[in-house]
């Protein structure tokens, strides 16, 4: 079974809003055996929306739309869908009751424009939107479905999980002969090798594997994800067999056997070992701390950070001697070692990570060009530091520095885990 996503809104096409909805929907569809065929973004324009729907119905079984369901004049999706499915708006008492309850403590919201939200297309199946005012609408188009959802990300995500996916899965099982595809993905992550060099190592592997098992290279911030995929043809056993072969070929560069973010892998390893971590950051400006703090449960292993951007902060809060800063510089092995050891000691954690570098675009020199970053890892067994050259663009440098810091931590923790077995 195939699905297509149509995101609606001028804000998406001028870069004012980033489309995170499609990525999340793609994950949810894939997890439920529904292949996503295409993603399209269109203007708040009647003809543009209708043309996109027409095209999508030529290709897929399910069309998912988001956006354009608000109460203002630029939100035209509901009326366009009425035109497309040759129906009209009627008042839905259940939606009205829900909206009044939702905003019972916000009388400023319950106005004549909000009242348009409980007007719904007569031919649509209306599903509850637990956290918002825009109703979820399902239109039957022969054996195909069109689902219209709000564009607010948290509303869309809850709607997909609680209402839309259960409806789609139940409808398909009850009313059609479609079988859900057995979509399989296996992903591992490697570092310390270029994409082209990796491709050379895997030439024979790619030539030998069956064509229905696809290999994708997904590089980002010095990490390359290798993903094996099959859409309904490979068995679990077959996929596992090829994944093990792939893993053996790249074992020298392997850092993870899952598609989880690096900070999640670090967190799981820390929790499994009953360990904690703190960070001392200069060039990354708190970005590393933000990653470690990003996911629920991080308080179990992440205790805090000192963002020491200015040298005076490195000196006063992290104890980096002025002499070291004057002679060796803030971007040096000596400085990051002291930073990592100090933050570990002061916050009282098992591990400390420190970063200091030249993120640019100015500040570089012949001996320390823009992109030079020193990273140190303080552990109970000692401290190690390493210098990296991470490009020329500021955001690229800081993102890559965080990836290097986390990758180094994974290697340290994995080594301890292996030794304890």
């Amino acid at each position: 079974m195939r699905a297509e996503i149509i995101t609606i809104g001028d804000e998406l096409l001028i870069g004012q809003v980033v489309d995170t909805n499609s990525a999340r929907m793609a994950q949810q569809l894939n997890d439920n055996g529904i292949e996503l065929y295409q993603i399209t973004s269109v203007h708040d324009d009647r003809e543009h929306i209708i043309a996109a729907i027409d095209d999508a119905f030529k290709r897929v079984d399910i069309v998912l739309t988001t956006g354009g369901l608000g109460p203002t004049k630029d939100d035209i999706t509901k009326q366009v869908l009425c035109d497309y499915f040759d129906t009209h708006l009627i008042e839905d008492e259940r939606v009205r009751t829900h909206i009044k309850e939702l905003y019972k403590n916000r009388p400023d919201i319950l106005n004549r424009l909000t009242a348009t939200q409980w007007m719904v297309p007569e031919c649509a199946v209306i599903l509850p939107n637990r956290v918002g005012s825009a109703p979820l609408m399902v239109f039957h188009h022969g054996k195909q479905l069109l689902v219209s959802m709000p564009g607010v990300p948290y509303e869309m995500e809850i709607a997909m999980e609680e209402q839309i996916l259960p409806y789609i899965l139940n409808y398909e099982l009850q009313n059609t002969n479609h079988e859900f595809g057995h979509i399989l993905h296996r992903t591992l992550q490697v570092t310390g090798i270029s994409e082209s060099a990796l491709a050379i190592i895997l030439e024979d592997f790619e030539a030998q594997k069956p064509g229905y098992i696809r290999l994708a290279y997904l590089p980002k911030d010095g990490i390359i994800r290798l993903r094996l995929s099959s859409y309904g043809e490979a068995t679990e056993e077959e996929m596992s067999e090829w994944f093990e072969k792939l893993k053996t070929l790249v074992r020298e560069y392997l850092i993870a056997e899952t598609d989880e973010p690096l900070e999640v892998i670090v967190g799981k390893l820390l929790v499994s070992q009953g360990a904690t971590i703190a960070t001392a950051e200069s060039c990354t400006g708190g970005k590393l701390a933000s990653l470690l703090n990003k996911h629920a449960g991080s308080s179990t292993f992440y205790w805090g950070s000192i963002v020491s951007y200015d040298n005076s902060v490195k000196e006063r809060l992290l104890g980096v001697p002025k002499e070291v800063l004057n002679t060796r510089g803030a971007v040096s092995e000596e400085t990051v070692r002291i930073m990592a050891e100090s933050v570990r000691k002061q916050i009282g954690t098992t591990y400390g990570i420190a970063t200091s570098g030249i993120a640019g675009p100015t500040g570089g020199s012949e001996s320390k060009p823009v992109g030079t970053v020193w990273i140190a890892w303080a552990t109970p067994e000692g401290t190690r530091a390493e210098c990296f050259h991470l490009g020329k663009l500021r955001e690229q440098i800081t993102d890559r520095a965080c990836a290097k810091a986390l990758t180094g931590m994974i290697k340290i923790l994995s080594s301890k885990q292996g030794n304890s077995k």
Side-chain angles (χ1 to χ4, degrees):
M1 179 192 298
R2 283 180 169 179
E4 185 161 328
I5 296 169
I6 301 173
T7 59
I8 301 168
D10 293 349
E11 67 277 7
L12 299 170
L13 297 169
I14 63 173
Q16 188 176 35
V17 172
V18 176
D19 175 24
T20 58
N21 283 345
S22 293
R24 182 57 186 139
M25 280 191 283
Q27 293 171 344
Q28 291 171 303
L29 292 168
N30 181 78
D31 289 345
N32 285 275
I34 301 170
E35 181 183 355
L36 180 61
Y37 186 71
Q38 184 167 309
I39 300 171
T40 304
S41 293
V42 299
H43 285 285
D44 291 303
D45 176 83
R46 180 183 182 278
E47 300 307 319
H48 200 179
I49 296 170
I50 288 175
I53 294 171
D54 273 336
D55 287 344
F57 273 138
K58 294 172 185 175
R59 294 184 288 260
V60 298
D61 310 289
I62 303 162
V63 180
L64 301 166
T65 74
T66 64
L69 298 181
T72 56
K73 287 185 177 180
D74 60 324
D75 293 307
I76 66 171
T77 301
K78 188 160 57 177
Q79 185 57 57
V80 171
L81 292 174
C82 279
D83 295 343
Y84 189 89
F85 290 100
D86 192 24
T87 189
H88 61 279
L89 294 171
I90 61 170
E91 185 175 302
D92 189 302
E93 182 60 33
R94 293 175 305 160
V95 177
R96 180 167 69 172
T97 301
H98 163 70
I99 291 174
K100 288 189 173 183
E101 177 64 24
L102 188 66
Y103 297 124
K104 63 183 179 181
N105 297 320
R106 296 286 307 277
D108 57 309
I109 293 180
L110 288 173
N111 53 46
R112 60 185 176 83
L113 286 181
T114 306
T116 64
Q117 294 291 73
W118 55 70
M119 301 297 294
V120 303
E122 186 178 33
C123 73
V125 176
I126 306 302
L127 302 176
N129 178 0
R130 180 169 62 84
V131 293
S133 62
L136 314 173
M137 302 177 292
V138 181
F139 297 84
H140 290 237
H141 183 69
K143 290 187 176 182
Q144 296 168 297
L145 296 179
L146 183 144
V147 180
S148 176
M149 292 173 283
V152 180
Y154 75 90
E155 289 188 38
M156 180 283 304
E157 189 164 341
I158 292 172
M160 279 289 290
E161 184 175 337
E162 295 184 358
Q163 301 291 341
I164 304 307
L165 281 169
Y167 186 93
I168 290 172
L169 297 173
N170 182 64
Y171 176 80
E172 289 298 322
L173 289 172
Q174 296 291 330
N175 299 289
T176 78
N177 294 320
H178 281 300
E179 293 185 3
F180 291 97
H182 195 51
I183 299 175
L184 298 175
H185 297 295
R186 297 286 187 276
T187 302
L188 53 79
Q189 301 184 60
V190 299
T191 190
I193 184 172
S194 69
E195 189 177 2
S196 58
L198 189 60
I200 291 172
I201 291 174
L202 298 177
E203 279 180 335
D204 289 344
F205 175 86
E206 294 208 60
Q208 293 165 7
K209 70 174 180 58
Y212 53 80
I213 295 179
R214 308 174 194 173
L215 174 62
Y217 297 74
L218 308 167
K220 183 182 179 184
D221 298 330
I223 308 298
I224 301 173
R225 288 180 293 161
L226 291 171
R227 188 192 67 227
L228 289 178
S229 300
S230 174
Y231 294 88
E233 295 181 83
T235 64
E236 291 272 3
E237 294 75 17
E238 189 177 15
M239 182 66 86
S240 295
E241 178 185 338
W242 284 99
F243 185 69
E244 288 300 318
K245 290 179 180 179
L246 178 63
K247 195 164 63 175
T248 299
L249 291 170
V250 300
R251 188 168 300 281
E252 180 182 351
Y253 309 100
L254 183 65
I255 57 165
E257 297 179 26
T258 68
D259 195 23
E260 295 174 302
L262 298 177
E263 67 272 12
V264 170
I265 298 169
V266 168
K268 287 183 176 180
L269 286 168
L270 288 168
V271 169
S272 71
Q273 296 176 24
T276 55
I277 197 166
T279 63
E281 300 182 61
S282 184
C283 65
T284 48
K287 187 176 284 189
L288 182 57
S290 178
L291 288 171
L292 289 167
N293 174 249
K294 184 177 180 179
H295 303 278
S298 59
S299 60
T300 308
F301 60 86
Y302 169 67
W303 280 15
S305 176
I306 296 175
V307 180
S308 55
Y309 206 69
D310 189 77
N311 280 356
S312 64
V313 182
K314 294 180 180 70
E315 185 181 353
R316 286 186 292 107
L317 297 186
L318 291 171
V320 182
K322 184 176 290 187
E323 180 185 356
V324 170
L325 292 169
N326 289 339
T327 59
R328 300 296 185 180
V331 183
S332 66
E333 179 176 0
E334 292 82 356
T335 294
V336 290
R337 280 180 172 273
I338 295 169
M339 289 169 64
E341 291 166 359
S342 178
V343 78
R344 174 177 176 257
K345 181 179 179 181
Q346 289 195 56
I347 296 182
T349 53
T350 317
Y351 299 97
I353 304 178
T355 64
S356 188
I358 303 166
T362 61
S365 66
E366 188 175 341
S367 60
K368 296 178 184 179
V370 169
T372 303
V373 177
W374 274 95
I375 302 175
W377 299 264
T379 79
E381 292 75 36
T383 301
R384 73 178 184 87
E386 192 171 349
C387 183
F388 301 94
H389 297 281
L390 302 177
K392 297 183 181 298
L393 302 176
R394 187 176 181 85
E395 187 172 2
Q396 177 190 66
I397 292 165
T398 55
D399 285 346
R400 287 179 175 179
C402 289
K404 290 292 186 184
L406 293 170
T407 300
M409 200 67 241
I410 290 170
K411 291 177 179 178
I412 291 168
L413 293 166
S414 296
S415 174
K416 292 200 70 171
Q417 191 121 316
N419 292 337
S420 66
K421 291 180 180 178

